[in-house]
Amino acid sequence: MPKFPSMARDGLANTQQRRNLQHATHTIRSKRATVVDEVPDWEELRVRGAAVKDQVLAHLDDYLVQLEASLTASGATVHWARDADEANRIVRDLVQAKEVDELVKVKSMATQEIELNEALEEVGISAWETDLAELIVQLGHDRPSHILVPAIHRNRSEIRDIFREEMGAVGTPAPDGLTDEPTDLAEAARRHLREKFLRAKVAVSGANFAVADTGTLVVLESEGNGRMCLTLPETLISVVGIEKVVPTWEDLDVFMQLLPRSSTGERMNPYTSMWTGTTEGDGPQEVHVVLLDNGRTSVLADEVGRQALRCIRCSACLNVCPVYERAGGHAYGSVYPGPIGAILTPQLRGTSSPLDQSLPYASSLCGACFDVCPVRIQIPELLVHLRTQVVDEHRGGRPSAEGVAMRTASWMFADHRRYEKAQRASTMSSKLLGERTTLGRLPWPASSWSGARDAPAPPRETFRQWWVRTHGSESR
Ligand code: SF4
C-alpha cells in the first residue's frame, strides 16, 4: 500500500466525505464533552482505567490462564490463535462442522483485523454483518472508516441508494419508495436483518471486555443486533483480542462508566450483553472463544508502546483529530484509523511497508487525542517513539532528502556567518515571489514536503537588517 499522504489524497479531494465527517465527528464530540463534564471524578476514573489496564498488561499471562479456566468451567471451549491465519482456520473449521453456509456477526474489530469475512467467503460461507453501519459498509462493497461508526463517511441519501440497489441481491429487499429518513432506513435494515437473525444457526461476535474471574464476555452496542446474535443462534463463536481481559467485575465497573461517555456521548449505552459460557435450554448451547494474539505480544514487549493495548476502542481520539477529520478513515489502510490506528497498526503489523512507516507521521501532535482518551494513552509520546523507531530502522544506506536537508541546516546553524548569509539569500529570494505570502509547491525533492504544506514566504527583511535600517548600526 502507498504511504499515508498518498492514501489521504482521495479523502482530501472528496468534499462530500469531508462534510459528512465534519458533521458527524463534531456532533459526537460535543455530546461527549457534555456528558463527561457531568462526572465530577472523571479524571480519577481515567486514572483508574489506565491503572487497571496496566495491571492486566503487566500480568497478562496469569489473567489469560485464569480467563481460560473460568470460561472452560462455565461450559465454553477456548481456542488460542497466534495470528490471523490460525484464528480464521479455527473459526472456519467450527462453522464447517455445523454444515452451514452462512452466519450472523455482531460488530467485532478483531474479526475485521484478521479479515474473517474474506476467509469464510473463500470456502463459500457468507458472514452477514448485523450492526447497521457495518451492514451499510458491507452492502456498499466499501471499507469501514471509523471504529464506532464504520459508515461515518456516508450520508443518508447515499445509504438509501445502497439499500435500494443492494439489499435485494442478498436477502429481503428495501421497501418500494424508500426515503432517506432515518426511521425508514432503520426499518428497512430491521426487516432485512430479522430474516437473517431468525435463520442463522451460527453467530460470530467480538467482546469489549472479558472478565477473568468469572469467564464473562461483554458486548456494548446501540441497536440490539448484538443481543439477537448472542441469544438466537445455536453456536456462538467469539473472537477476542487477548488485551480485552479485565480481572474482576469491580474493574469492569470503571470501563462501563468510561466507555459509553467517551464513544457515543451517552451516560449509558442502550444494550449491554454479558454471557458466561452456556446455560442449558437458554441461548447458544455451544460457545467457543478464540483468544487472539496477532501481534499483541510483540506490542506488549515494548515498554513504551504497550500502552496502546490499553485502548478500549471508544473512538474519542478519532472524533477530535484534525488529521482524521480531513483525511478520512480509509487513508490509514487499516481497520484501526485515526490516532489509535497511527500507533497501533504499525506496532501490530510492524513497520516494513511504506504505509506502516508513514502512519506515525499522520498526526499534527496537537495532543487532543490524549486529552480525550479515557485510559490516558499518551498518543503523541507514542507517535514520537514510533517515528524514532522508523528513523532508526533507516539509518545507513543512501541518505534521504530530509536527512540531507537536516544535515545542511545543522551545518548552517552551527556558524553565525553562514546563518546570516543564508538569511540574506532567503530575503533576496523572497523578492522574487512578488506579492505571494506562501511558497506554494517547490520543485523535487522539496516537493515531497511542500506538496502538503503552505509554508510562509520568507520575510523581505531580517530582524538584523531592520535594526540596521531603523537604528543605523548593528550595535545597541
Ligand atoms: S486510544 Fe483512547 S481515545 Fe482512542 S479509541 Fe483507544 S481508548 Fe478511545
Side-chain angles (χ1 to χ4, degrees):
M1 275 196 185
K3 290 180 173 191
F4 178 82
S6 325
M7 303 271 287
R9 219 157 267 150
D10 286 346
L12 289 169
N14 188 338
T15 320
Q16 181 64 56
Q17 175 178 296
R18 281 171 47 191
R19 205 173 290 137
N20 298 347
L21 273 173
Q22 205 231 9
H23 175 71
T25 54
H26 283 241
T27 307
I28 304 174
R29 76 203 231 186
S30 59
K31 271 178 78 185
R32 176 203 160 273
T34 308
V35 294
V36 162
D37 279 351
E38 294 172 354
V39 184
D41 60 346
W42 182 252
E43 272 315 302
E44 266 169 54
L45 277 173
R46 283 179 86 204
V47 171
R48 279 177 64 197
V52 170
K53 282 284 183 174
D54 282 349
Q55 155 81 4
V56 166
L57 294 173
H59 304 282
L60 189 57
D61 46 355
D62 294 335
Y63 286 118
L64 285 171
V65 169
Q66 189 189 3
L67 176 67
E68 180 183 34
S70 311
L71 282 165
T72 309
S74 62
T77 307
V78 176
H79 309 259
W80 297 87
R82 264 170 297 219
D83 55 24
D85 285 346
E86 207 166 2
N88 286 335
R89 185 178 46 70
I90 293 167
V91 179
R92 210 168 44 216
D93 291 350
L94 289 170
V95 180
Q96 283 180 321
K98 294 286 142 198
E99 298 181 346
V100 296
D101 59 4
E102 65 170 4
L103 54 85
V104 285
K105 276 181 73 197
V106 51
K107 195 167 132 187
S108 154
M109 301 219 71
T111 60
Q112 287 168 14
E113 180 189 318
I114 60 174
E115 300 185 345
L116 176 67
N117 289 12
E118 291 78 359
L120 291 172
E121 206 176 300
E122 278 173 20
V123 292
I125 298 165
S126 305
W128 305 119
E129 297 291 350
T130 64
D131 172 86
L132 177 55
E134 289 288 348
L135 174 71
I136 296 163
V137 169
Q138 186 174 40
L139 290 174
H141 312 287
D142 200 354
R143 284 176 295 129
S145 65
H146 190 274
I147 290 178
L148 193 75
V149 199
I152 197 168
H153 54 296
R154 300 287 199 183
N155 63 19
R156 287 194 272 149
S157 56
E158 290 175 292
I159 295 167
R160 177 204 55 206
D161 294 345
I162 291 172
F163 280 9
R164 276 185 189 163
E165 286 157 28
E166 305 288 342
M167 270 183 170
V170 290
T172 306
D176 290 339
L178 178 67
T179 72
D180 63 2
E181 283 303 311
T183 44
D184 287 353
L185 295 173
E187 181 56 26
R190 193 174 292 126
R191 282 165 39 125
H192 181 82
L193 289 172
R194 187 137 305 187
E195 177 210 2
K196 296 192 189 312
F197 286 134
L198 295 174
R199 205 172 55 208
K201 299 263 184 289
V202 177
V204 169
S205 85
N208 290 93
F209 303 102
V211 185
D213 71 348
T214 57
T216 305
L217 299 187
V218 185
V219 161
L220 281 72
E221 40 109 13
S222 299
E223 297 155 11
N225 60 309
R227 183 145 309 171
M228 303 284 264
C229 287
L230 299 166
T231 52
L232 289 175
E234 292 158 11
T235 301
L236 173 60
I237 306 166
S238 303
V239 182
V240 183
I242 53 175
E243 81 286 14
K244 297 284 180 184
V245 61
V246 294
T248 64
W249 280 68
E250 283 74 42
D251 299 315
L252 181 65
D253 169 43
V254 178
F255 299 106
M256 295 300 284
Q257 297 177 67
L258 287 172
L259 184 52
R261 282 188 154 86
S262 302
S263 57
T264 47
E266 292 166 305
R267 296 179 187 100
M268 217 176 137
N269 54 294
Y271 293 89
T272 300
S273 299
M274 301 178 178
W275 67 105
T276 310
T278 53
T279 305
E280 205 182 324
D282 185 11
Q285 295 300 293
E286 214 179 295
V287 171
H288 296 270
V289 180
V290 182
L291 293 171
L292 175 73
D293 182 337
N294 205 31
R296 286 159 174 77
T297 44
S298 355
V299 183
L300 191 65
D302 181 334
E303 280 183 18
V304 180
R306 71 162 58 157
Q307 55 179 307
L309 295 178
R310 285 187 206 150
C311 177
I312 54 172
R313 313 278 190 263
C314 71
S315 78
C317 57
L318 278 66
N319 299 331
V320 295
C321 177
V323 176
Y324 171 82
E325 187 182 314
R326 285 157 185 84
H330 293 159
Y332 295 79
S334 153
V335 60
Y336 305 112
I340 181 60
I343 57 168
L344 189 58
T345 308
Q347 293 198 85
L348 287 176
R349 295 200 298 217
T351 48
S352 57
S353 75
L355 172 64
D356 293 329
Q357 283 162 21
S358 69
L359 285 177
Y361 294 88
S363 168
S364 61
L365 297 183
C366 69
C369 45
F370 168 71
D371 292 343
V372 295
C373 178
V375 282
R376 293 177 56 88
I377 299 174
Q378 301 271 3
I379 297 176
E381 175 193 284
L382 250 167
L383 288 163
V384 174
H385 173 70
L386 290 167
R387 287 180 190 189
T388 311
Q389 200 173 300
V390 170
V391 170
D392 285 344
E393 281 165 12
H394 287 82
R395 285 200 197 285
R398 230 177 81 205
S400 64
E402 187 192 5
V404 172
M406 287 299 161
R407 236 170 276 163
T408 312
S410 146
W411 173 82
M412 183 191 72
F413 283 118
D415 183 309
H416 75 94
R417 281 162 303 209
R418 286 183 214 140
Y419 177 60
E420 283 159 22
K421 272 190 199 153
Q423 277 190 320
R424 276 198 292 276
S426 101
T427 54
M428 278 163 67
S429 69
S430 84
K431 291 179 184 126
L432 302 174
L433 293 170
E435 294 305 308
R436 274 169 49 187
T437 53
T438 56
L439 286 180
R441 207 177 167 88
L442 297 171
W444 188 87
S447 56
S448 59
W449 188 85
S450 69
R453 292 171 178 85
D454 275 339
R460 289 169 167 261
E461 188 176 46
T462 66
F463 174 77
R464 283 164 192 271
Q465 289 167 333
W466 171 83
W467 184 272
V468 172
R469 180 169 59 78
T470 54
H471 294 71
S473 158
E474 275 206 64
S475 60
R476 285 183 150 215

